[in-house]
Amino acid sequence: MNDDLLKRYLRHNQYFPDEILTRIVAQFKPVVVKKNTILLAKDEIANKIYFVNEGCLRTYYLTEQGHEKTRFIAIEGQVAGSLNSFITGRPSSEFVATLEDAQLFYITRTRFYQLVKEFSEWERFYLKLLESAYSYQNKRIAEMVTLDAGSRYTLLIKENPEYIKRLSNKILASYLDITQETLSRLKSK
Amino acid sequence: MNDDLLKRYLRHNQYFPDEILTRIVAQFKPVVVKKNTILLAKDEIANKIYFVNEGCLRTYYLTEQGHEKTRFIAIEGQVAGSLNSFITGRPSSEFVATLEDAQLFYITRTRFYQLVKEFSEWERFYLKLLESAYSYQNKRIAEMVTLDAGSRYTLLIKENPEYIKRLSNKILASYLDITQETLSRLKSK
């Protein structure tokens, strides 16, 4: 698996001298996964975090009533995982699964935090990852609590039009926290 | 205003040599604020972050229908603010306000990020702040989407019993994202 996209992603977020980047990227392992594979189940500890080279992942919760609620969708060039469990080492409250056949790179939790100690560049990369994960999540909360279904759908079309093409109505509805019926109605407008 | 609690909070999260801690704490300014004062309004940029020495703060959203949704409550020994706006420098999607008469320390955004560049200890402190802010927020999302009103109330009693004593039913209900009627019903059980 070609690691160009991974290198570009890392360099886009933080400056790395060539030699250090090579040593860091060597800690990432490639893995090919079929569609709809669960990479991490609720209550497991997230010992890996994933970079999407090709395909699509999501993280989701299961409600007490058994409904799936999609928290995050990652496509090519993005990092995904149960970051909370990865940070804390505590059991995950969410699932991580592929939505399409996927080519991924993963790094283990142990290696990741060794790199944080070893390279100040990686510590700074991690800081930026946390900043952007926090911001993304905060934006999502703000949208979920302040916007109605129609406004959330309009925003999705504007910011992530590729989701509409790539994802099933079931996943899209769970991402927007609306029923599939409401989604169909919004799509037909 | 005595800065003992602030120093203890910083030291609890990160090791600082005495001299560096003194220089960092000198960048925090004390401010005394009356109950129900808005420290930051929606669409303003969060140029300050607050440490609660005495009293209580909250951050909240206003929905399209004008309802308040409380995201975070900070009591003595905690940091609060519109962290997303503080990180990104973009307009805040939420309000920050006091819930009680409060003694606060604040640090400006400019000073904060100067310290990140200047002291590796402060950079590490910031990293831990982000980790814990992310984890807290993720836990809140998981609770809001997977638990029903009763389970959320039971969890609040277990984890933050002081909220029940200190906060009005209006604020508690907005924190749990339930109506005041539902809260009264849960309290009477």
Side-chain angles (χ1 to χ4, degrees):
Chain A
M1 206 182 302
N2 188 310
D3 60 14
D4 281 357
L5 189 61
L6 173 59
K7 282 182 176 159
R8 235 183 302 148
Y9 163 77
L10 295 175
R11 276 236 159 97
H12 178 76
N13 285 285
Q14 169 66 32
Y15 166 75
F16 293 98
D18 284 342
E19 194 216 316
I20 291 180
L21 188 66
T22 305
R23 289 177 61 188
I24 287 170
V25 167
Q27 304 300 329
F28 283 81
K29 305 298 170 202
V31 60
V32 175
V33 189
K34 285 273 169 213
K35 184 177 174 166
N36 295 328
T37 305
I38 291 180
L39 298 168
L40 182 83
K42 182 175 184 288
D43 294 329
E44 290 178 353
I45 290 164
N47 287 319
K48 291 171 186 165
I49 203 159
Y50 298 91
F51 175 79
V52 184
N53 194 54
E54 205 180 296
C56 190
L57 293 190
R58 69 163 172 152
T59 67
Y60 62 96
Y61 302 106
L62 216 51
T63 69
E64 289 179 331
Q65 289 76 33
H67 298 123
E68 294 178 358
K69 303 271 188 175
T70 299
R71 181 180 66 79
F72 179 58
I73 290 165
I75 59 170
E76 289 81 8
Q78 291 185 303
V79 162
S82 177
L83 185 57
N84 196 0
S85 171
F86 192 82
I87 292 171
T88 60
R90 290 198 294 260
S92 175
S93 53
E94 58 188 343
F95 293 78
V96 181
T98 52
L99 285 171
E100 302 172 353
D101 290 347
Q103 294 185 2
L104 310 169
F105 287 98
Y106 70 83
I107 181 167
T108 65
R109 193 167 176 265
T110 313
R111 289 291 190 189
F112 187 99
Y113 287 105
Q114 275 168 354
L115 292 178
V116 170
K117 281 185 188 155
E118 203 172 340
F119 299 112
S120 62
E121 292 89 349
W122 188 253
E123 187 180 20
R124 247 169 272 137
F125 167 79
Y126 177 43
L127 198 147
K128 287 175 192 170
L129 179 73
L130 287 169
E131 284 186 336
S132 89
Y134 181 87
S135 292
Y136 170 84
Q137 192 163 256
N138 194 272
K139 182 174 177 296
R140 276 276 284 171
I141 297 178
E143 288 165 13
M144 298 309 268
V145 303
T146 65
L147 301 182
D148 61 24
S151 306
R152 295 208 292 275
Y153 181 68
T154 307
L155 198 67
L156 183 74
I157 295 175
K158 192 181 143 209
E159 296 185 344
N160 298 103
E162 72 281 20
Y163 287 8
I164 316 276
K165 286 177 217 148
R166 283 173 77 159
L167 306 175
S168 69
N169 274 3
K170 187 187 160 211
I171 301 296
L172 273 180
S174 122
Y175 182 74
L176 291 167
D177 199 19
I178 58 180
T179 62
Q180 290 190 53
E181 292 69 39
T182 304
L183 179 61
S184 301
R185 197 163 41 75
L186 291 169
K187 273 190 164 181
S188 67
K189 272 190 193 169
Chain B
M1 207 184 298
N2 188 310
D3 59 15
D4 280 357
L5 188 62
L6 173 59
K7 281 182 175 159
R8 235 185 300 150
Y9 163 78
L10 295 174
R11 277 237 160 97
H12 179 74
N13 285 285
Q14 170 65 34
Y15 167 75
F16 293 98
D18 285 342
E19 194 216 316
I20 290 179
L21 189 67
T22 305
R23 288 178 62 187
I24 287 170
V25 167
Q27 303 301 329
F28 282 81
K29 305 299 170 200
V31 59
V32 174
V33 188
K34 285 272 169 214
K35 184 178 173 164
N36 296 327
T37 303
I38 292 180
L39 298 168
L40 183 82
K42 182 175 182 289
D43 295 328
E44 290 179 352
I45 290 164
N47 286 319
K48 291 170 187 165
I49 203 159
Y50 298 90
F51 174 80
V52 183
N53 193 55
E54 204 179 298
C56 190
L57 293 191
R58 69 163 172 150
T59 67
Y60 62 97
Y61 301 108
L62 216 51
T63 69
E64 290 180 329
Q65 290 75 34
H67 298 125
E68 294 178 0
K69 304 270 187 174
T70 299
R71 181 179 67 79
F72 180 59
I73 290 165
I75 59 172
E76 289 82 7
Q78 291 185 303
V79 161
S82 177
L83 185 56
N84 196 0
S85 171
F86 192 81
I87 291 170
T88 60
R90 291 198 294 261
S92 175
S93 53
E94 58 188 342
F95 293 78
V96 181
T98 52
L99 286 171
E100 301 172 352
D101 290 347
Q103 293 185 2
L104 310 169
F105 286 98
Y106 71 84
I107 182 167
T108 65
R109 193 168 176 265
T110 313
R111 289 291 190 190
F112 186 99
Y113 286 105
Q114 275 170 354
L115 292 178
V116 169
K117 282 186 188 156
E118 203 172 341
F119 299 111
S120 61
E121 292 89 348
W122 189 253
E123 188 180 20
R124 247 168 274 139
F125 167 79
Y126 178 43
L127 197 147
K128 288 175 190 170
L129 180 72
L130 287 169
E131 283 185 337
S132 89
Y134 181 87
S135 293
Y136 170 83
Q137 195 164 253
N138 195 274
K139 182 174 177 296
R140 275 276 283 169
I141 296 179
E143 288 164 14
M144 298 309 267
V145 302
T146 64
L147 302 181
D148 63 22
S151 305
R152 295 208 293 274
Y153 181 68
T154 308
L155 197 68
L156 183 74
I157 293 175
K158 192 181 142 211
E159 296 185 343
N160 298 102
E162 72 280 21
Y163 287 7
I164 317 275
K165 285 178 215 144
R166 282 173 79 160
L167 306 176
S168 70
N169 274 2
K170 187 187 160 210
I171 300 295
L172 273 180
S174 120
Y175 182 74
L176 291 166
D177 199 19
I178 58 180
T179 62
Q180 290 190 53
E181 292 69 39
T182 304
L183 179 62
S184 300
R185 196 163 42 74
L186 291 168
K187 274 190 164 180
S188 69
K189 273 191 195 169

